[in-house]
Amino acid sequence: MSTPLHRLRTAKAEGRRLAVLTGYDYPVAKLLDEAGVDAILVGDSLGMVVLGYPDTTFVTLDEMVHHTRAVARAAEHAAVIADLPIATYETSAQAVASARRLMEAGADAVKLEGGVAKAAEIRAIVGEGIPLVGHIGLLPQKVREEGGYKIKGKTEEEAARIVEDGLAVEAAGALAVVIELVRPEVVAQVTQSLRIPTIGIGAGEACDGQVLVTYDLVGLFPWFTPKFVSPAATVGQSIREAARGFVERVRGGE
């Protein structure tokens, strides 16, 4: 039987590139599902583009559960992958408990950040029958520790660690792995080394698929756009213009 998760698992072997976008609410998730994306990622990026936090480190598990429920109601064909937010998978027991909450909210799989350092937690989650996607390279939940968003894999030592992280994630049982802001030649090495699909964001073309924040793709968060994104629409400007027109009509007595 072909299920959304089965299609993710078999994509690499079948030579199919994966298209993944983030979704945080019912209407956007419904539109993405109708557009044919392979998966909708309920990313903790919602902290910035939906909730107005300065970064993802403010997002709580309760908030992730809330948004996952909304997206799960909309998704009929796409797999729903939900992020485990910061400080919710510090131990194997905590990781399993947190992952269960997201699955109960309707997720098909969960995602967490970290490679070798989080292999035990990944193994524990997968061991409970919960599908998991890894995340290596730049880890947004560590942005405060690292002093910003910096491209990874610039040195041979760092590149070797990223490859090691990818292998550790695969060995622990992940069904796929996101690679963020890593030099393209390192991404190519990871992709060639793994049997599971690699999904890139700001990591070049060598991955088995790509993921973007939908708000970046459609210009719905016009106050900041990552350098690696070329918006395909200007939804934010359209909303601003529609609202301005409404204000003018109302104040004009219409």
Side-chain angles (χ1 to χ4, degrees), residues 20-24 28 32 39-43 45 211-215:
V20 182
L21 286 168
T22 64
Y24 316 110
V28 170
L32 299 181
I40 300 171
L41 172 63
V42 189
S45 50
V211 58
L212 279 181
V213 172
T214 297
Y215 283 36

Side-chain angles (χ1 to χ4, degrees), residues 10-243:
T10 59
K12 185 163 187 164
E14 296 174 358
R16 287 184 290 104
R17 289 175 65 80
L18 296 168
V20 182
L21 286 168
T22 64
Y24 316 110
D25 58 40
Y26 179 89
V28 170
K30 188 73 172 174
L31 291 168
L32 299 181
D33 193 66
E34 292 174 353
V37 298
D38 295 291
I40 300 171
L41 172 63
V42 189
D44 57 2
S45 50
L46 67 85
M48 294 175 286
V49 299
V50 176
L51 301 178
Y53 295 143
D55 54 54
T56 66
T57 65
F58 291 82
V59 179
T60 68
L61 184 58
D62 285 342
E63 288 167 338
M64 291 304 304
V65 166
H66 173 84
H67 288 275
T68 298
R69 284 197 184 112
V71 171
R73 294 185 192 109
E76 296 182 22
H77 309 289
V80 175
I81 304 167
D83 269 347
L84 285 165
I86 191 169
T88 64
Y89 51 99
E90 298 300 303
T91 67
S92 293
Q94 184 193 34
V96 169
S98 299
R100 281 177 176 156
R101 286 198 61 194
L102 293 176
M103 296 298 286
E104 290 166 0
D108 296 304
V110 301
K111 180 171 78 66
L112 62 73
E113 296 180 9
V116 172
K118 286 298 172 184
E121 286 75 18
I122 294 172
R123 198 172 293 111
I125 291 172
V126 174
E128 291 297 316
I130 298 173
L132 181 140
V133 174
H135 185 140
I136 62 174
L138 183 134
L139 307 180
Q141 292 174 11
K142 291 188 177 295
V143 66
R144 289 177 173 258
E145 297 176 29
E146 299 190 354
Y149 299 91
K150 302 173 183 178
I151 296 176
K152 302 295 183 180
K154 290 184 176 181
T155 67
E156 289 186 12
E157 182 182 359
E158 194 172 54
R161 282 201 302 268
I162 292 170
V163 174
E164 187 180 3
D165 280 339
L167 291 169
V169 165
E170 179 179 70
L175 65 92
V177 61
V178 169
I179 307 178
E180 181 165 359
L181 274 183
V182 171
R183 291 179 67 88
E185 60 270 22
V186 181
V187 173
Q189 188 177 355
V190 176
T191 299
Q192 292 166 8
S193 300
L194 301 184
R195 296 183 303 276
I196 60 175
T198 58
I199 302 170
I201 178 166
E205 301 176 356
C207 286
D208 300 304
Q210 298 289 329
V211 58
L212 279 181
V213 172
T214 297
Y215 283 36
D216 293 338
L217 175 68
V218 303
L220 189 50
F221 195 81
W223 307 279
F224 173 77
T225 302
K227 293 180 181 179
F228 57 83
V229 176
S230 297
T234 54
V235 173
Q237 181 62 20
S238 296
I239 292 174
R240 187 185 291 119
E241 291 173 357

